[in-house]
Amino acid sequence: MAQFPAGHVPLIATLLRWLRPRPGSLDDTLWHAACARLPWVAALEPERRERLRALAARFLHEKTITPLAGLQLDDGERVLLAALCCLPLLEFGPAGLRGWSQLLVYPDAFRVRRSHVDAAGVLHEWDDDLAGEAWDHGPLILSWADVRADLEDPAAGYCVAVHEMAHKLDVLDGELDGTPPLPARWHREWARDFQCAYEAFCAQVDAGRETAIDPYAAEAPEEFFAVATEYHFSAPSLLAEAMPEVAAHLARFYGPPPAL
Ligand SMILES: [Zn+2]
């Protein structure tokens, strides 16, 4: 490879960026049809909906959406998936799309093989049925049946697509720990408030008490963040009542929740 003086590198990077094809704009009919099917998008104010449209166009430009196991997705369904995945990026912006290129979509919940070696060195193996999964630097995977179920009951506290996108944002700083990349001071406040809420939540689950949000959030700090993200978009009042500090951080990070 030719060697360039260091000072030339930014210019070359700029030229390469400029030469890359720009994301196209989304077809009006497809976009409006997707908005009509997405209650969270329909409830956004017009300026934010336009911002989401640009993000979705960029998503479709940068990512390959691959339906698996006999599933077929038409252009409208691809726009719908792109818009849904970009909802958590309304404030964060397109930098939230970094680090991966594939969205894989199964028709239904998919089975993955898990294994774990315990402290005594014994190997445990089991199967998990998943609605979605986000690999650290690999694909984002969704079950189409679960995406559709979320749309049918948009205020129920579930939205697998934003859950998996929360994991993608979380890992951008190199660590999947329930804290996305934030300015230093906010990062400290976030870590403190989430840790406090997470510990209180785990204590409730351990005591067998009923919880306001899905007890799956007690699995790990990163799951707590991803599950709280689902509630931010689909049941924000419930989240604000149960965990006001967490809800306030998410409202700052994602912008105000859509008023369903
Ligand atoms: Zn998760």
Side-chain angles (χ1 to χ4, degrees):
M1 196 181 132
Q3 296 293 305
F4 296 100
H8 287 221
V9 171
L11 175 65
I12 290 164
T14 306
L15 276 172
L16 285 175
R17 254 201 312 277
W18 186 74
L19 287 170
R20 262 185 79 189
R22 305 224 142 240
S25 60
L26 287 180
D27 174 81
D28 268 343
T29 313
L30 289 177
W31 175 246
H32 293 306
C35 291
R37 287 180 71 184
L38 290 166
W40 307 293
V41 177
L44 290 176
E45 65 250 39
E47 188 272 321
R48 298 184 81 215
R49 203 159 52 233
E50 275 312 299
R51 218 188 301 164
L52 186 71
R53 182 176 175 158
L55 287 164
R58 186 153 178 158
F59 185 101
L60 291 167
H61 178 71
E62 291 184 10
K63 314 282 181 216
T64 309
I65 301 178
T66 308
L68 300 170
L71 178 70
Q72 310 262 346
L73 292 172
D74 63 25
D75 287 348
E77 289 161 340
R78 287 164 189 269
V79 171
L80 181 147
L81 282 166
L84 198 48
C85 288
C86 288
L87 261 183
L89 308 182
L90 273 169
E91 303 305 314
F92 195 88
L97 294 171
R98 269 193 291 122
W100 58 286
S101 59
Q102 289 266 356
L103 169 60
L104 308 177
V105 191
Y106 282 99
D108 222 317
F110 48 97
R111 179 156 292 187
V112 293
R113 191 91 184 121
R114 303 282 197 207
S115 63
H116 165 72
V117 179
D118 68 18
V122 179
L123 174 69
H124 300 266
E125 286 188 297
W126 69 99
D127 289 327
D128 256 351
D129 285 329
L130 301 179
E133 192 176 31
W135 294 26
D136 285 6
H137 302 286
L140 188 143
I141 312 170
L142 293 173
S143 141
W144 182 236
D146 286 271
V147 168
R148 289 177 49 183
D150 293 342
L151 297 183
E152 274 158 34
D153 203 356
Y158 295 99
C159 183
V160 64
V162 301
H163 177 114
E164 301 309 334
M165 282 301 291
H167 287 320
K168 285 295 187 192
L169 287 167
D170 187 347
V171 84
L172 279 176
D173 59 5
E175 258 181 284
L176 191 67
D177 58 358
T179 314
L182 298 169
R185 184 170 168 195
W186 186 8
H187 190 280
R188 280 195 301 277
E189 292 165 358
W190 177 298
R192 178 199 64 206
D193 293 341
F194 268 73
Q195 178 71 22
C196 185
Y198 176 65
E199 282 171 9
F201 186 76
C202 290
Q204 258 184 307
V205 172
D206 290 345
R209 289 210 301 277
E210 202 175 317
T211 52
I213 71 169
D214 187 345
Y216 180 70
E219 284 280 309
E222 61 269 26
E223 295 306 334
F224 184 72
F225 166 45
V227 170
T229 293
E230 295 186 70
Y231 283 84
H232 167 82
F233 287 99
S234 70
S237 319
L238 190 152
L239 183 68
E241 199 175 311
M243 305 167 184
E245 288 85 5
V246 165
H249 281 298
L250 294 185
R252 187 174 163 197
F253 186 64
Y254 293 127
L260 288 178

